[in-house]
Amino acid sequence: MSLGDERETSGGYGGTGQTRTRLPESSGDVYGGARRGGRSSSRSLVTVVGVVVLLIAAIAFANRGGDDSGSPSGDENQPKSSTTAASGTRPVDGKAAGIPGGFARDEQGAQSAAANYAVTLGSTGMFNKESRHGIVDAIYTPTAAAKLQGAMDQAYTADFLSKLGLDADGNAPEGSTFVSRTVPVGTTVDQFSQSGAKVSVWYVGLIGMSGTGSTDPVSPTWKTWTFDLQWVNGDWKITADTQKDGPAPVPGDDRAASSDEISKAIEEYGGFTYAR
């Protein structure tokens, strides 16, 4: 839901910018064999939402201010327990169009909002015009949403979707499962005030097509998604966002699942509502 220290100027998590996609080339279950290198199509997809968003709302973020001098005595190389331990009270109770809302007006609420918005913007709902419009209206400020809708519609053309193996409504072919999912690993507050916040979400994205004949199997990619949030009408809303690559852990030696296993897992395991 691209990016070392580079900022991507947008086209949408669903947008395009400079994306490369791959049309189906051959039949057969690519999940059973060795995994391709490169996977430019999947990597482009993971940043699609950020791409469109950045075209419209890219801004120069101020360098993180403040001096953390005056840290408590002790081994400064040791992380504080608060930076590694799970915290938070409970997920929010409110929902609008299936999207969590009603976040607290504090740092925890801003982090929870950013994590949930990353999940929403990284979902397959972004590839359908009607659901995408609902998502954008629900989680962006009115001003940002008004600018984004047209740009995203231009990015999610029928031609673009077809190159991903989807029809004009964002549906996968019969027998295949299109996977687009963002899984937050952690959040951090870069800036905070009662009226605005800047929150970064470290996440792993799952992207690709699962099914017989797929040439773009589902694979993970690691990103950091930074959101500028504004307190509007009793909730946190997005004004702008950027993404960058990593930090990515060393790949493990896990056996790659078959396309059937991936499809079944996607159908059986739902997403979460995140609280800090």
PDB file of all heavy atoms in Angstrom, residues 90-107:
ATOM      1  N   ARG A  90      -8.308  -0.978  23.146  1.00  0.00           N
ATOM      2  CA  ARG A  90      -9.170  -1.849  22.355  1.00  0.00           C
ATOM      3  C   ARG A  90      -9.414  -1.178  21.000  1.00  0.00           C
ATOM      4  O   ARG A  90      -9.254   0.030  20.854  1.00  0.00           O
ATOM      5  CB  ARG A  90     -10.508  -2.087  23.040  1.00  0.00           C
ATOM      6  CG  ARG A  90     -11.294  -0.797  23.240  1.00  0.00           C
ATOM      7  CD  ARG A  90     -12.655  -1.076  23.857  1.00  0.00           C
ATOM      8  NE  ARG A  90     -13.415   0.166  24.004  1.00  0.00           N
ATOM      9  CZ  ARG A  90     -14.665   0.218  24.428  1.00  0.00           C
ATOM     10  NH1 ARG A  90     -15.290  -0.892  24.747  1.00  0.00           N
ATOM     11  NH2 ARG A  90     -15.290   1.386  24.533  1.00  0.00           N
ATOM     12  N   PRO A  91      -9.815  -1.946  19.999  1.00  0.00           N
ATOM     13  CA  PRO A  91     -10.148  -1.335  18.703  1.00  0.00           C
ATOM     14  C   PRO A  91     -11.360  -0.428  18.849  1.00  0.00           C
ATOM     15  O   PRO A  91     -12.142  -0.547  19.789  1.00  0.00           O
ATOM     16  CB  PRO A  91     -10.478  -2.553  17.822  1.00  0.00           C
ATOM     17  CG  PRO A  91      -9.804  -3.701  18.485  1.00  0.00           C
ATOM     18  CD  PRO A  91      -9.873  -3.406  19.948  1.00  0.00           C
ATOM     19  N   VAL A  92     -11.519   0.489  17.913  1.00  0.00           N
ATOM     20  CA  VAL A  92     -12.671   1.386  17.960  1.00  0.00           C
ATOM     21  C   VAL A  92     -13.955   0.617  17.720  1.00  0.00           C
ATOM     22  O   VAL A  92     -13.966  -0.447  17.113  1.00  0.00           O
ATOM     23  CB  VAL A  92     -12.524   2.496  16.901  1.00  0.00           C
ATOM     24  CG1 VAL A  92     -11.345   3.380  17.229  1.00  0.00           C
ATOM     25  CG2 VAL A  92     -12.361   1.906  15.509  1.00  0.00           C
ATOM     26  N   ASP A  93     -15.045   1.189  18.204  1.00  0.00           N
ATOM     27  CA  ASP A  93     -16.350   0.545  18.035  1.00  0.00           C
ATOM     28  C   ASP A  93     -17.040   0.977  16.751  1.00  0.00           C
ATOM     29  O   ASP A  93     -17.851   0.245  16.187  1.00  0.00           O
ATOM     30  CB  ASP A  93     -17.259   0.875  19.224  1.00  0.00           C
ATOM     31  CG  ASP A  93     -16.736   0.270  20.517  1.00  0.00           C
ATOM     32  OD1 ASP A  93     -16.171  -0.831  20.455  1.00  0.00           O
ATOM     33  OD2 ASP A  93     -16.896   0.917  21.570  1.00  0.00           O
ATOM     34  N   GLY A  94     -16.758   2.197  16.310  1.00  0.00           N
ATOM     35  CA  GLY A  94     -17.484   2.739  15.165  1.00  0.00           C
ATOM     36  C   GLY A  94     -16.981   2.240  13.823  1.00  0.00           C
ATOM     37  O   GLY A  94     -15.818   1.884  13.665  1.00  0.00           O
ATOM     38  N   LYS A  95     -17.886   2.216  12.854  1.00  0.00           N
ATOM     39  CA  LYS A  95     -17.534   1.850  11.491  1.00  0.00           C
ATOM     40  C   LYS A  95     -18.412   2.626  10.530  1.00  0.00           C
ATOM     41  O   LYS A  95     -19.584   2.865  10.797  1.00  0.00           O
ATOM     42  CB  LYS A  95     -17.708   0.348  11.241  1.00  0.00           C
ATOM     43  CG  LYS A  95     -16.551  -0.509  11.724  1.00  0.00           C
ATOM     44  CD  LYS A  95     -16.624  -1.914  11.143  1.00  0.00           C
ATOM     45  CE  LYS A  95     -15.389  -2.721  11.523  1.00  0.00           C
ATOM     46  NZ  LYS A  95     -15.407  -4.070  10.899  1.00  0.00           N
ATOM     47  N   ALA A  96     -17.820   3.013   9.393  1.00  0.00           N
ATOM     48  CA  ALA A  96     -18.563   3.679   8.328  1.00  0.00           C
ATOM     49  C   ALA A  96     -18.199   2.989   7.030  1.00  0.00           C
ATOM     50  O   ALA A  96     -17.030   2.927   6.669  1.00  0.00           O
ATOM     51  CB  ALA A  96     -18.211   5.164   8.268  1.00  0.00           C
ATOM     52  N   ALA A  97     -19.195   2.429   6.353  1.00  0.00           N
ATOM     53  CA  ALA A  97     -18.963   1.676   5.113  1.00  0.00           C
ATOM     54  C   ALA A  97     -17.973   0.550   5.346  1.00  0.00           C
ATOM     55  O   ALA A  97     -17.154   0.239   4.478  1.00  0.00           O
ATOM     56  CB  ALA A  97     -18.468   2.623   4.012  1.00  0.00           C
ATOM     57  N   GLY A  98     -18.044  -0.059   6.532  1.00  0.00           N
ATOM     58  CA  GLY A  98     -17.155  -1.166   6.839  1.00  0.00           C
ATOM     59  C   GLY A  98     -15.765  -0.755   7.260  1.00  0.00           C
ATOM     60  O   GLY A  98     -14.921  -1.604   7.535  1.00  0.00           O
ATOM     61  N   ILE A  99     -15.486   0.547   7.338  1.00  0.00           N
ATOM     62  CA  ILE A  99     -14.162   1.049   7.690  1.00  0.00           C
ATOM     63  C   ILE A  99     -14.185   1.551   9.128  1.00  0.00           C
ATOM     64  O   ILE A  99     -15.051   2.352   9.487  1.00  0.00           O
ATOM     65  CB  ILE A  99     -13.749   2.198   6.750  1.00  0.00           C
ATOM     66  CG1 ILE A  99     -13.788   1.721   5.291  1.00  0.00           C
ATOM     67  CG2 ILE A  99     -12.364   2.716   7.106  1.00  0.00           C
ATOM     68  CD1 ILE A  99     -13.618   2.840   4.291  1.00  0.00           C
ATOM     69  N   PRO A 100     -13.261   1.100   9.984  1.00  0.00           N
ATOM     70  CA  PRO A 100     -13.239   1.571  11.361  1.00  0.00           C
ATOM     71  C   PRO A 100     -13.135   3.092  11.431  1.00  0.00           C
ATOM     72  O   PRO A 100     -12.475   3.725  10.609  1.00  0.00           O
ATOM     73  CB  PRO A 100     -11.981   0.902  11.935  1.00  0.00           C
ATOM     74  CG  PRO A 100     -11.807  -0.324  11.104  1.00  0.00           C
ATOM     75  CD  PRO A 100     -12.225   0.087   9.716  1.00  0.00           C
ATOM     76  N   GLY A 101     -13.775   3.681  12.434  1.00  0.00           N
ATOM     77  CA  GLY A 101     -13.741   5.127  12.610  1.00  0.00           C
ATOM     78  C   GLY A 101     -13.994   5.486  14.058  1.00  0.00           C
ATOM     79  O   GLY A 101     -14.234   4.623  14.898  1.00  0.00           O
ATOM     80  N   GLY A 102     -13.932   6.768  14.350  1.00  0.00           N
ATOM     81  CA  GLY A 102     -14.137   7.222  15.715  1.00  0.00           C
ATOM     82  C   GLY A 102     -12.911   7.043  16.575  1.00  0.00           C
ATOM     83  O   GLY A 102     -12.995   6.663  17.744  1.00  0.00           O
ATOM     84  N   PHE A 103     -11.725   7.318  16.009  1.00  0.00           N
ATOM     85  CA  PHE A 103     -10.478   7.124  16.726  1.00  0.00           C
ATOM     86  C   PHE A 103     -10.260   8.218  17.776  1.00  0.00           C
ATOM     87  O   PHE A 103     -10.731   9.344  17.627  1.00  0.00           O
ATOM     88  CB  PHE A 103      -9.306   7.113  15.737  1.00  0.00           C
ATOM     89  CG  PHE A 103      -9.410   6.012  14.720  1.00  0.00           C
ATOM     90  CD1 PHE A 103      -9.899   6.280  13.451  1.00  0.00           C
ATOM     91  CD2 PHE A 103      -9.037   4.716  15.029  1.00  0.00           C
ATOM     92  CE1 PHE A 103     -10.014   5.275  12.505  1.00  0.00           C
ATOM     93  CE2 PHE A 103      -9.147   3.698  14.086  1.00  0.00           C
ATOM     94  CZ  PHE A 103      -9.643   3.982  12.827  1.00  0.00           C
ATOM     95  N   ALA A 104      -9.516   7.870  18.825  1.00  0.00           N
ATOM     96  CA  ALA A 104      -9.251   8.817  19.906  1.00  0.00           C
ATOM     97  C   ALA A 104      -8.374   9.962  19.415  1.00  0.00           C
ATOM     98  O   ALA A 104      -7.538   9.802  18.528  1.00  0.00           O
ATOM     99  CB  ALA A 104      -8.566   8.099  21.063  1.00  0.00           C
ATOM    100  N   ARG A 105      -8.577  11.113  20.027  1.00  0.00           N
ATOM    101  CA  ARG A 105      -7.806  12.300  19.658  1.00  0.00           C
ATOM    102  C   ARG A 105      -6.504  12.349  20.458  1.00  0.00           C
ATOM    103  O   ARG A 105      -6.222  13.280  21.214  1.00  0.00           O
ATOM    104  CB  ARG A 105      -8.628  13.562  19.894  1.00  0.00           C
ATOM    105  CG  ARG A 105      -8.065  14.803  19.210  1.00  0.00           C
ATOM    106  CD  ARG A 105      -9.002  15.984  19.389  1.00  0.00           C
ATOM    107  NE  ARG A 105      -8.553  17.151  18.626  1.00  0.00           N
ATOM    108  CZ  ARG A 105      -9.234  18.296  18.554  1.00  0.00           C
ATOM    109  NH1 ARG A 105     -10.386  18.409  19.192  1.00  0.00           N
ATOM    110  NH2 ARG A 105      -8.762  19.311  17.852  1.00  0.00           N
ATOM    111  N   ASP A 106      -5.698  11.313  20.294  1.00  0.00           N
ATOM    112  CA  ASP A 106      -4.400  11.244  20.947  1.00  0.00           C
ATOM    113  C   ASP A 106      -3.464  10.446  20.044  1.00  0.00           C
ATOM    114  O   ASP A 106      -3.844  10.034  18.943  1.00  0.00           O
ATOM    115  CB  ASP A 106      -4.508  10.612  22.340  1.00  0.00           C
ATOM    116  CG  ASP A 106      -5.194   9.239  22.325  1.00  0.00           C
ATOM    117  OD1 ASP A 106      -5.193   8.571  21.253  1.00  0.00           O
ATOM    118  OD2 ASP A 106      -5.717   8.820  23.371  1.00  0.00           O
ATOM    119  N   GLU A 107      -2.227  10.225  20.481  1.00  0.00           N
ATOM    120  CA  GLU A 107      -1.255   9.543  19.642  1.00  0.00           C
ATOM    121  C   GLU A 107      -1.675   8.115  19.325  1.00  0.00           C
ATOM    122  O   GLU A 107      -1.492   7.632  18.211  1.00  0.00           O
ATOM    123  CB  GLU A 107       0.125   9.560  20.304  1.00  0.00           C
ATOM    124  CG  GLU A 107       0.746  10.936  20.368  1.00  0.00           C
ATOM    125  CD  GLU A 107       2.212  10.903  20.768  1.00  0.00           C
ATOM    126  OE1 GLU A 107       2.792   9.789  20.786  1.00  0.00           O
ATOM    127  OE2 GLU A 107       2.781  11.969  21.054  1.00  0.00           O
TER     128      GLU A 107
END
